[in-house]
């Protein structure tokens, strides 16, 4: 197995944190986004979508999409469960992971990709009006999740899950997007500090 | 259990097709998008994200997000498996479902939501430039999946899966977005006809 990774991008970080929570390490190759290495014919042959991460299995099968790699790993090594245990928790973890992706992470990414000068050659065309439409949605979600986190320890319940990983990586991705966490969101801050203190957060 | 549904929107259709493939029926309430019933305080109390579907369990737990409801159902009734069997297939189904969502369905939706006059009061603000940026990505994905479907029966392999449901619903969602399937994509057309012929496609 070999993992194509990028330390610059948020999605590969999701997979690294997931692997660290599982206690798994594997051979890794860094793909240099700044040098547009992910746009080369060599990397495109591995992943035509030109994104990281990509996991190449020993039989040559390629699994891309950070969460798909996580699901593959969960199926091989179920403990600790990061996608929930039992039908109801499985449903709620998937719900919160998707809510965090669609309503938060995607909006943070839109602000960064469609406004940041460094993305000019990578997000073509940049549509600044789309970034501005996405910006208030970031804060709408943060207000909502702050109220939720007043009632429980983690994003999807009282067990750490992939939904925490997604939300945590997206919060940290606010910084390059020049989005500032509102001071009054004390539950989000308590939760973020707790996740940041886990050894996996350094992955 | 009760399912809040919408016959007008593509995501609830994913859940309906999934349930039909499982042979499950349940009490359903239609939420009228044209009348903005999903924006009412009553529905917002069920799903603050104001989207359908939403599944209310007998204990009052609410599961939203079409794929989260599908995962809940898969955990309760594993056969026929629609998220793959075994680690590798599980990873590949998740990969193709996400590729279809992120690189195809989301772009079809962007064209519809940011251009169609009927969406003026629901997608605020509409950003036509974002629709135009999304349009060529729809066709890029279709070219790619056409080549993939030359090598196998279904989107993620030789077994029907959630990835077929997502791709099929997104193809049908091209019509309201005024996106026309290119004539030369014969593998996509063969696959679409096969999925359309399944009884679940009428759900």
């Amino acid at each position: 197995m070999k993992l194509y990774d990028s330390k610059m991008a948020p999605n590969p970080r999701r997979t690294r944190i997931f692997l660290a929570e599982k206690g798994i390490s594997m051979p890794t190759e860094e793909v240099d986004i700044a040098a547009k290495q992910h746009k080369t014919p060599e990397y495109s042959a591995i992943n035509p979508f030109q994104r990281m991460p990509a996991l190449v299995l020993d039989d040559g099968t390629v699994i891309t999409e950070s969460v798909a790699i996580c699901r593959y790993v969960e199926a091989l090594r179920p403990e600790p469960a990061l996608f929930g245990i039992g039908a109801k928790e499985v449903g709620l973890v998937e719900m919160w992971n998707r809510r965090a992706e669609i309503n938060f992470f995607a909006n943070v990414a839109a602000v960064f990709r469609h406004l940041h000068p460094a993305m000019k050659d990578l997000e073509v065309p940049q549509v600044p009006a789309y970034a501005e439409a996405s910006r208030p949605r970031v804060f709408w979600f943060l207000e909502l999740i702050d109220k939720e986190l007043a009632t429980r320890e983690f994003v999807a319940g009282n067990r750490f899950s992939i939904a925490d990983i997604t939300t945590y990586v997206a919060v940290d991705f606010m910084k390059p997007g020049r989005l500032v966490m509102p001071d009054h969101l004390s539950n989000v801050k308590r939760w973020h500090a707790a996740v940041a203190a886990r050894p996996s957060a350094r992955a």
Side-chain angles (χ1 to χ4, degrees), chain A residues 14-15 17-19 21-22 24 63-98 101 156-157 159-166:
Chain A
R14 290 208 275 173
T15 304
I17 293 175
F18 190 95
L19 291 169
E21 290 282 337
K22 293 282 186 183
I24 294 173
I63 301 177
T64 70
E65 299 301 320
S66 52
V67 175
I69 295 170
C70 294
R71 287 210 178 267
Y72 172 76
V73 169
E74 179 100 346
L76 285 182
R77 191 175 299 191
E79 301 291 335
L82 296 172
F83 284 101
I85 295 173
K88 193 163 96 172
E89 197 183 289
V90 161
L92 290 172
V93 167
E94 179 80 354
M95 175 180 84
W96 280 108
N97 192 48
R98 285 179 166 265
E101 284 181 345
R159 193 198 309 269
F160 181 85
S161 77
I162 183 82
D164 294 287
I165 297 175
T166 297

Side-chain angles (χ1 to χ4, degrees), chain A residues 140-161:
Chain A
W140 182 88
F141 182 88
L142 286 169
E143 294 285 345
L144 181 135
I145 200 69
D146 191 70
K147 288 184 188 73
E148 296 285 335
L149 286 168
T151 70
R152 58 182 183 264
E153 191 174 352
F154 294 110
V155 168
N158 286 316
R159 193 198 309 269
F160 181 85
S161 77

Side-chain angles (χ1 to χ4, degrees), chain A residues 8 13 22 42 44 48 82 86 105-106 119 133 151 172 175 182 203:
Chain A
M8 286 183 71
R13 190 179 181 211
K22 293 282 186 183
E42 289 73 22
S44 302
L82 296 172
F105 195 172
M119 291 302 293
T151 70
D172 286 3
K175 193 175 175 187

